[in-house]
């Protein structure tokens, strides 16, 4: 007997037929003798519809009331799944975030989970029951409904699994796992049997949108094994685990686990930057104050006393705000032009194996150079090498690197 | 300054444009210096959609989970109206049933309101705020969401008005008041300036579906003045008040206030009923046990020892169950045939004025006889005379009685 959390996303809950299928998956786990808590998203499209209604109601809407509106989507699917499970003869009940409660910070529409009381759940399990819980929502200390931000149901599921000391957390979605790269670009991409939390964080943040990043970070801190799998096909998914379990779960691991890409980066170039102490600090200080996440940074090395060129990337969505901040500090800091370019892509090779292997980055630069792809910026972390290149080379670069790192599936796979 | 409850039905909340209009009506009351609590229904059609989802999920659905699903409709409109009011610069917030709380009985999907805590509302009013409250829902003692049954938002509004000792409760709907009869049948029907609670109960239960009957009964017990008016047109509605205020509010009252009709009655006739003590009691006892509401009853007077004929009406929806019950007790009680007829209509003349005036019933019978309309059954109460006639005479009978009792509007009205 295991204690598990099963989480189902919006496409898995999109309509009564899909919900019935989900109920069948829940039944299978319950009938295997497991203690099951189910976390559900709203029906696909429903949250978008509710957000749109809030936007139409007022351009600057109160996040507290926004939360009241959007939390209703998961409330509906929780009730419907409980009804469907009962219709199959199972002992199931829904529990809203305020009923458990799932306690959150007061940051409406972007709340953090402070804690989850599991007394109610323990009683449900003692009575042989199944608990259905809406994802994405909890209750703030003042008794108001608070939501966790888009995609928050993954975080709800992992937090619940940690609170109830579950053996595992299964995230059912419309993809069947995590791949070595985007299969639309590389048909020979392989599904990974397992990845580490850190790899998943890097893969998620650079474009493999399978799990909300926040939920992976939480799983890592709590050492909660998470499995990503499909609610549409009955086959094994990808386990996301701690470093020390990765070898046993995936014997065929390469040094590099996957190739990711992210088109949501914009390049900003500042010319004529004075060679003065504090100039760069003033720029990044002002951007940090405006909550703009700067990612890759490259500074040309000038001769002493001569102006230099500074290049960095920001999320494309933050670009208007970035140019606004830069315009404000331009005369004070004293730089020349502000050039921006959104036709860039960040391509990354990710893998815990590179920790113990030099030469991974060099292999990347050589493979790209062989195809004439110009590298605009580079960043590296312990388990990742990223390059910024022109967007038109995205597919070519991903394919070349996928092959170079030995990730292509065998023909007979 | 007055303290008021404003309630808006589903057509008034159907979409952001309508909600914006509602917000304007609320603003007008708030800017006049009134303390305002607003009770809202779900958007028109939304509750039907949610009920349908529950039905599709399982044929026998758990009312507790049904309540979780259907309560979401009012949650959405509450948040949206609060956002819209805030967008107009007003200090508005939503409070769900479990947040006030509105305490209910545990009878899910048909709960009764046990009480409403007004501490939160008093603080809102002290701070010059507007409270937006979803109708139709509250929280049971076990902490589960409970709904009041369809149309329950009217009851929520009246109960809230009573709890917060409001000066009045304004029910905004898609009709502009209560009429002397159905204007689709009688174009010269007049809107009533005022009706008494009792008249409204009789008018509502016989077809004038403006307010949920339960809410009128509650308003009567609490002596809460209720006004029915349109959220679509800016003109006075109909006040529903206590007997002792009716004269001052409507100087032009006739003896009869209105003519109502109800096609949802079915006639049942039992032949060959033995002239034995207890036979009739056995029949109505069995029907009462099955929760079937018997309305009009007529028994032919037999000669001593001879069998008689018993005729009564039941709601058309209860007819299958009625024939089932009668079939079960037929041999035991010993009657002949069971004849049923759904092509009947109950037409009623309603008015507190008839208490002090004999001859109202006689006037009705004569007016119908003059047109050759055969009366199948009669019931009277202190303020109502009803006749059962063939359904095909509905429009004719309503028109004839409307004229006979002097209810037709003047040509220049």
């Amino acid at each position: 007997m295991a204690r598990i959390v099963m989480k189902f996303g919006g496409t898995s809950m999109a309509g009564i037929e899909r919900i019935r299928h989900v109920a069948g998956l829940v039944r299978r786990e319950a009938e295997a003798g497991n203690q099951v808590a189910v976390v559900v998203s709203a029906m696909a499209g429903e949250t978008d519809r509710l957000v749109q209604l809030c936007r139409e109601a007022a351009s600057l809407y109160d996040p507290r009331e926004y939360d009241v509106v959007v939390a209703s989507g998961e409330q509906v699917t929780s009730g419907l799944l409980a009804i469907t499970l009962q219709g199959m003869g199972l002992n199931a009940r829904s529990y809203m975030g305020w009923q458990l409660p799932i306690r959150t910070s007061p940051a409406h529409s972007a709340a953090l989970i402070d804690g989850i009381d599991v007394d109610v759940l323990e009683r449900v399990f003692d009575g042989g029951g199944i608990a259905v819980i809406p994802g994405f929502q909890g209750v703030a200390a003042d008794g108001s409904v608070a939501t966790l931000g888009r995609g928050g149901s993954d975080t709800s599921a992992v937090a619940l699994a940690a609170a109830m000391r579950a053996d595992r957390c299964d995230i059912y979605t419309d993809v069947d796992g995590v791949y070595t790269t985007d299969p639309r670009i590389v048909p020979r991409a392989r599904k990974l049997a397992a990845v580490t939390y850190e790899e998943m964080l890097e893969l998620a943040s650079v474009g493999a949108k399978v799990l909300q990043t926040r939920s992976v970070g939480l799983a890592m801190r709590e050492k909660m094994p998470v499995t990503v799998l499909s609610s549409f096909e009955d086959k094994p998914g990808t386990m996301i685990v701690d470093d020390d379990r990765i070898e046993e779960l995936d014997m065929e691991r390469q040094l590099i686990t996957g190739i990711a890409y992210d088109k949501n980066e914009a390049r900003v170039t500042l010319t004529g930057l004075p060679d003065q102490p504090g100039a760069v600090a003033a720029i990044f200080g002002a951007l940090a104050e405006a909550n703009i996440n700067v990612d890759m940074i490259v500074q040309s090395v000038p001769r002493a006393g001569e102006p230099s060129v500074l290049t960095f990337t920001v999320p494309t969505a933050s670009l208007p705000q970035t140019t606004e901040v830069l315009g404000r500090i331009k005369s004070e800091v004293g730089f020349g032009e502000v050039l921006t370019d959104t036709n860039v892509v960040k391509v990354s090779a990710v893998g815990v194996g590179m920790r113990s292997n030099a030469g991974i980055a060099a292999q990347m630069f050589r493979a790209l150079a062989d195809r004439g792809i110009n590298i605009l910026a580079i960043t590296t972390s312990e388990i990742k090498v990223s390059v910024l290149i022109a967007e038109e080379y995205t597919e070519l670069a991903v394919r070349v690197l996928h092959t170079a790192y030995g990730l292509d599936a065998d023909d007979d796979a």
Side-chain angles (χ1 to χ4, degrees), chain A residues 205-206 261-268 293-296 312-317 319 341-347 384 388-389 391:
Chain A
S205 67
V206 289
Y261 65 96
D262 182 5
K263 295 184 174 180
N264 295 315
E265 298 256 331
R267 179 168 64 143
V268 179
N293 285 317
V294 174
D295 183 9
M296 309 171 107
F312 57 88
T313 63
V314 296
T316 306
L319 189 56
D341 183 3
T342 56
N343 294 319
V344 291
V345 63
K346 183 167 77 166
V347 177
K384 184 179 72 166
L388 193 73
I389 61 174
E391 188 174 357

Side-chain angles (χ1 to χ4, degrees), chain A residues 27-39:
Chain A
R27 176 170 59 181
R28 187 166 66 183
E29 294 290 0
E31 288 182 347
N34 297 315
Q35 294 181 334
V36 184
V38 190
V39 173

